[in-house]
Short mmCIF file of all heavy atoms in Angstrom, two decimals:
data_model
loop_
_atom_site.label_atom_id
_atom_site.label_comp_id
_atom_site.label_asym_id
_atom_site.label_seq_id
_atom_site.Cartn_x
_atom_site.Cartn_y
_atom_site.Cartn_z
N TYR A 735 -50.78 -24.57 51.70
CA TYR A 735 -49.59 -25.28 51.18
C TYR A 735 -48.72 -24.32 50.40
O TYR A 735 -47.48 -24.28 50.56
CB TYR A 735 -50.05 -26.44 50.30
CG TYR A 735 -48.93 -27.15 49.58
CD1 TYR A 735 -47.98 -27.90 50.29
CD2 TYR A 735 -48.80 -27.05 48.19
CE1 TYR A 735 -46.95 -28.55 49.62
CE2 TYR A 735 -47.78 -27.69 47.52
CZ TYR A 735 -46.85 -28.43 48.24
OH TYR A 735 -45.83 -29.07 47.59
N GLU A 736 -49.35 -23.49 49.53
CA GLU A 736 -48.61 -22.54 48.72
C GLU A 736 -47.96 -21.47 49.60
O GLU A 736 -46.81 -21.07 49.38
CB GLU A 736 -49.54 -21.87 47.70
CG GLU A 736 -50.03 -22.84 46.62
CD GLU A 736 -51.14 -22.26 45.77
OE1 GLU A 736 -51.68 -21.19 46.13
OE2 GLU A 736 -51.47 -22.88 44.75
N ALA A 738 -47.04 -21.85 52.67
CA ALA A 738 -45.91 -22.46 53.38
C ALA A 738 -44.68 -22.55 52.46
O ALA A 738 -43.54 -22.31 52.88
CB ALA A 738 -46.30 -23.85 53.87
N LEU A 739 -44.94 -22.90 51.18
CA LEU A 739 -43.81 -22.98 50.23
C LEU A 739 -43.15 -21.62 50.04
O LEU A 739 -41.91 -21.49 50.06
CB LEU A 739 -44.31 -23.50 48.87
CG LEU A 739 -44.67 -24.98 48.78
CD1 LEU A 739 -45.28 -25.30 47.43
CD2 LEU A 739 -43.43 -25.84 49.01
N ILE A 740 -43.97 -20.59 49.86
CA ILE A 740 -43.43 -19.24 49.64
C ILE A 740 -42.64 -18.78 50.85
O ILE A 740 -41.53 -18.23 50.72
CB ILE A 740 -44.58 -18.25 49.33
CG1 ILE A 740 -45.23 -18.61 47.99
CG2 ILE A 740 -44.06 -16.81 49.30
CD1 ILE A 740 -46.50 -17.82 47.69
N TYR A 743 -39.29 -20.67 50.96
CA TYR A 743 -38.30 -20.14 50.01
C TYR A 743 -37.75 -18.80 50.48
O TYR A 743 -36.56 -18.50 50.37
CB TYR A 743 -38.93 -19.97 48.62
CG TYR A 743 -39.14 -21.27 47.87
CD1 TYR A 743 -40.38 -21.55 47.26
CD2 TYR A 743 -38.11 -22.20 47.75
CE1 TYR A 743 -40.58 -22.73 46.56
CE2 TYR A 743 -38.30 -23.38 47.04
CZ TYR A 743 -39.54 -23.64 46.45
OH TYR A 743 -39.72 -24.81 45.75
N ARG A 746 -35.17 -19.01 53.07
CA ARG A 746 -33.88 -19.48 52.53
C ARG A 746 -33.15 -18.37 51.78
O ARG A 746 -32.05 -18.58 51.26
CB ARG A 746 -34.11 -20.67 51.61
CG ARG A 746 -34.44 -21.96 52.37
CD ARG A 746 -35.12 -22.99 51.50
NE ARG A 746 -34.42 -23.22 50.24
CZ ARG A 746 -34.92 -23.99 49.26
NH1 ARG A 746 -36.12 -24.55 49.40
NH2 ARG A 746 -34.22 -24.16 48.17
N ILE A 753 -38.42 -17.17 43.78
CA ILE A 753 -39.52 -17.95 44.37
C ILE A 753 -40.53 -18.33 43.31
O ILE A 753 -40.99 -19.48 43.23
CB ILE A 753 -40.19 -17.15 45.51
CG1 ILE A 753 -39.21 -16.98 46.67
CG2 ILE A 753 -41.47 -17.84 45.98
CD1 ILE A 753 -39.72 -16.05 47.77
N ALA A 754 -40.90 -17.35 42.43
CA ALA A 754 -41.86 -17.62 41.36
C ALA A 754 -41.33 -18.71 40.44
O ALA A 754 -42.07 -19.61 40.01
CB ALA A 754 -42.14 -16.34 40.57
N GLU A 755 -40.02 -18.66 40.11
CA GLU A 755 -39.41 -19.66 39.23
C GLU A 755 -39.42 -21.03 39.90
O GLU A 755 -39.76 -22.04 39.26
CB GLU A 755 -37.97 -19.23 38.90
CG GLU A 755 -37.27 -20.20 37.95
CD GLU A 755 -35.86 -19.75 37.64
OE1 GLU A 755 -35.23 -19.07 38.47
OE2 GLU A 755 -35.37 -20.10 36.55
N SER A 756 -39.07 -21.08 41.17
CA SER A 756 -39.02 -22.37 41.88
C SER A 756 -40.41 -22.98 42.03
O SER A 756 -40.59 -24.20 41.91
CB SER A 756 -38.38 -22.19 43.26
OG SER A 756 -37.06 -21.73 43.14
N LEU A 757 -41.40 -22.14 42.32
CA LEU A 757 -42.78 -22.65 42.44
C LEU A 757 -43.22 -23.33 41.15
O LEU A 757 -43.86 -24.39 41.17
CB LEU A 757 -43.73 -21.50 42.78
CG LEU A 757 -43.69 -20.97 44.22
CD1 LEU A 757 -44.58 -19.74 44.33
CD2 LEU A 757 -44.14 -22.04 45.21
N TRP A 758 -42.82 -22.72 40.02
CA TRP A 758 -43.29 -23.28 38.75
C TRP A 758 -42.49 -24.53 38.36
O TRP A 758 -43.07 -25.54 37.98
CB TRP A 758 -43.17 -22.22 37.65
CG TRP A 758 -43.53 -22.74 36.28
CD1 TRP A 758 -42.71 -22.97 35.24
CD2 TRP A 758 -44.82 -23.15 35.85
NE1 TRP A 758 -43.39 -23.48 34.18
CE2 TRP A 758 -44.71 -23.60 34.52
CE3 TRP A 758 -46.09 -23.17 36.47
CZ2 TRP A 758 -45.79 -24.06 33.79
CZ3 TRP A 758 -47.17 -23.64 35.73
CH2 TRP A 758 -47.01 -24.07 34.40
N LEU A 759 -41.19 -24.44 38.46
CA LEU A 759 -40.36 -25.55 38.00
C LEU A 759 -40.45 -26.77 38.93
O LEU A 759 -40.41 -27.91 38.46
CB LEU A 759 -38.89 -25.10 37.89
CG LEU A 759 -38.59 -24.04 36.82
CD1 LEU A 759 -37.12 -23.66 36.86
CD2 LEU A 759 -38.97 -24.53 35.43
N GLU A 760 -40.62 -26.51 40.24
CA GLU A 760 -40.59 -27.63 41.18
C GLU A 760 -41.98 -28.13 41.56
O GLU A 760 -42.14 -29.31 41.92
CB GLU A 760 -39.84 -27.20 42.46
CG GLU A 760 -38.37 -26.86 42.21
CD GLU A 760 -37.67 -26.32 43.46
OE1 GLU A 760 -38.25 -26.46 44.55
OE2 GLU A 760 -36.56 -25.77 43.33
N HIS A 761 -42.98 -27.23 41.46
CA HIS A 761 -44.31 -27.63 41.92
C HIS A 761 -45.42 -27.32 40.90
O HIS A 761 -46.58 -27.60 41.20
CB HIS A 761 -44.63 -26.90 43.25
CG HIS A 761 -43.60 -27.12 44.31
ND1 HIS A 761 -43.51 -28.29 45.04
CD2 HIS A 761 -42.59 -26.32 44.75
CE1 HIS A 761 -42.50 -28.20 45.90
NE2 HIS A 761 -41.93 -27.00 45.74
N ARG A 762 -45.03 -26.74 39.75
CA ARG A 762 -45.99 -26.37 38.71
C ARG A 762 -47.07 -25.43 39.26
O ARG A 762 -48.23 -25.47 38.87
CB ARG A 762 -46.66 -27.60 38.08
CG ARG A 762 -45.70 -28.62 37.53
CD ARG A 762 -44.71 -28.02 36.54
NE ARG A 762 -45.32 -27.67 35.27
CZ ARG A 762 -44.70 -27.06 34.26
NH1 ARG A 762 -43.41 -26.73 34.41
NH2 ARG A 762 -45.32 -26.79 33.14
N ILE A 763 -46.69 -24.61 40.23
CA ILE A 763 -47.59 -23.60 40.78
C ILE A 763 -47.27 -22.27 40.11
O ILE A 763 -46.13 -21.80 40.15
CB ILE A 763 -47.43 -23.47 42.31
CG1 ILE A 763 -47.81 -24.78 43.00
CG2 ILE A 763 -48.25 -22.31 42.86
CD1 ILE A 763 -47.54 -24.80 44.50
N ALA A 764 -48.25 -21.69 39.43
CA ALA A 764 -48.04 -20.47 38.65
C ALA A 764 -48.41 -19.24 39.46
O ALA A 764 -49.57 -19.09 39.87
CB ALA A 764 -48.85 -20.52 37.36
#
Side-chain angles (χ1 to χ4, degrees):
Y735 173 68
E736 292 170 350
L739 287 174
I740 294 172
Y743 285 132
R746 286 160 50 187
I753 293 173
E755 182 180 28
S756 298
L757 286 174
W758 176 251
L759 294 178
E760 297 175 13
H761 305 283
R762 305 306 288 177
I763 297 174

